[in-house]
Amino acid sequence: IGLVKNINQFDPWRRWHLFDWLISNFVNYFFNDLTIDFIQTGIFKIRIPGLVWIYHKNSKAINSMDYFGLNYYSHNHLKMKLSLKEPFTLQYPNTDILTDMPYTIYGEGIYRAIQSISVLNIPIMITENGIADASDDRRELYIKRYLYAVSQAIKEGFDIRGYFYWSLMDNFEWAFGYDMKFGLFAVDYKTQRRDLREGAKAFIAIVNNEK
C-alpha cells in the first residue's frame, strides 16, 4: 500500500531576487512538502493570513505506507509578479531543451526528487517518468539523462525498487487529448497500428544492460 505523488521543484528565476525565492519556497511547500510532512508527522497545515487557515492532524498517516510512488517530469522557474490574480509566471531559460508539454528536460531533478522523499525512509517506486515528443528527436536524450540520474541515486544507496516509463503507448493526455506523444510505441488511432519509436531503443538498451 502506498501513495503516488507528483514531485515538481520550483526554483527562483532570478537567484538574486528575494521575492522570487519567497514565492518559490511557498509553492514548493504547498506542492511538495505539505504531503511529505503529513506522512512524517501526521499534521497537515496551510496558513495564509486572510486567505486560508487549515490544520488537520491524523496520527494514522505516520508510517502508514509500504512505499512512495514518485511521478517526476521536470521543474519550473518562477518569477514573482505584484498581482493577487497571478502572483508569478513560469520562465524557461533559452539554454534549456523543451518537451512538447512544454516543460524542460531536467534529468538532475529526478535525483533531487528522490533525495527529498527519502526522508520518509520507505522504498521508492518511480511510477511515472517520460517525455511528450511527437518528433521523437529528444526521447533518447531524455531517457538517458533521467535514468542516469536514477542509477546514480541507486549507487548512493537510495532504496529505489522500480521504474515505470510513461508510457508504453501514446495515450489520452487529459486536456491535451491525443496531441501529446508520450509512448515508447507510436499509435495510429485510425488503424490501431503500434510502432516502436526510434528514441525508445535507448530504453531497451538500458534495460538489457547493453553498452
Side-chain angles (χ1 to χ4, degrees):
I1 297 174
L3 177 147
V4 174
K5 174 76 175 72
N6 187 49
I7 299 293
N8 187 88
Q9 299 97 7
F10 298 91
D11 297 317
W13 174 246
R14 299 164 292 187
R15 298 190 67 83
W16 52 267
H17 201 288
L18 175 61
F19 290 111
D20 286 5
W21 277 101
L22 289 174
I23 195 67
S24 296
N25 287 341
F26 172 75
V27 177
N28 270 310
Y29 174 74
F30 185 83
F31 193 86
N32 300 312
D33 297 342
L34 270 177
T35 302
I36 296 172
D37 289 352
F38 179 61
I39 297 168
Q40 274 192 298
T41 67
I43 297 173
F44 184 90
K45 59 182 178 181
I46 308 173
R47 295 178 179 178
I48 309 174
L51 293 176
V52 61
W53 196 277
I54 298 173
Y55 182 90
H56 174 73
K57 185 175 182 179
N58 187 341
S59 59
K60 292 181 179 179
I62 304 171
N63 299 322
S64 61
M65 299 190 305
D66 300 312
Y67 75 97
F68 187 98
L70 169 64
N71 291 356
Y72 186 83
Y73 292 92
S74 187
H75 71 151
N76 291 109
H77 286 99
L78 304 187
K79 184 179 181 180
M80 179 74 172
K81 286 181 65 177
L82 295 177
S83 169
L84 290 176
K85 291 184 178 180
E86 188 182 19
F88 61 85
T89 58
L90 301 181
Q91 303 291 321
Y92 302 95
N94 293 331
T95 54
D96 281 5
I97 302 171
L98 286 175
T99 74
D100 293 346
M101 281 299 283
Y103 50 71
T104 62
I105 295 178
Y106 182 61
E108 53 266 50
I110 197 168
Y111 177 91
R112 289 174 61 188
I114 291 166
Q115 190 177 41
S116 67
I117 62 178
S118 67
V119 298
L120 298 174
N121 293 316
I122 55 177
I124 298 168
M125 184 76 71
I126 299 171
T127 41
E128 278 189 33
N129 176 241
I131 179 174
D133 178 18
S135 60
D136 196 36
D137 58 1
R138 292 150 289 171
R139 186 168 278 103
E140 179 179 355
L141 176 67
Y142 184 99
I143 289 170
K144 286 181 175 179
R145 286 190 179 181
Y146 280 70
L147 284 181
Y148 174 77
V150 172
S151 71
Q152 289 299 113
I154 293 172
K155 289 175 183 177
E156 292 177 21
F158 292 102
D159 190 3
I160 301 164
R161 302 292 179 90
Y163 173 93
F164 292 89
Y165 178 87
W166 184 267
S167 58
L168 176 64
M169 295 181 292
D170 290 336
N171 62 293
F172 181 83
E173 188 62 28
W174 302 101
F176 293 97
Y178 293 105
D179 292 339
M180 296 296 129
K181 308 301 183 183
F182 278 93
L184 296 172
F185 283 82
V187 178
D188 184 324
Y189 291 108
K190 292 182 179 179
T191 66
Q192 294 301 303
R193 178 187 172 100
R194 281 85 159 166
D195 290 301
L196 179 69
R197 286 193 165 97
E198 190 67 27
K201 292 179 180 179
F203 186 61
I204 296 173
I206 292 169
V207 171
N208 290 333
N209 197 28
E210 297 172 2
K211 299 297 183 181

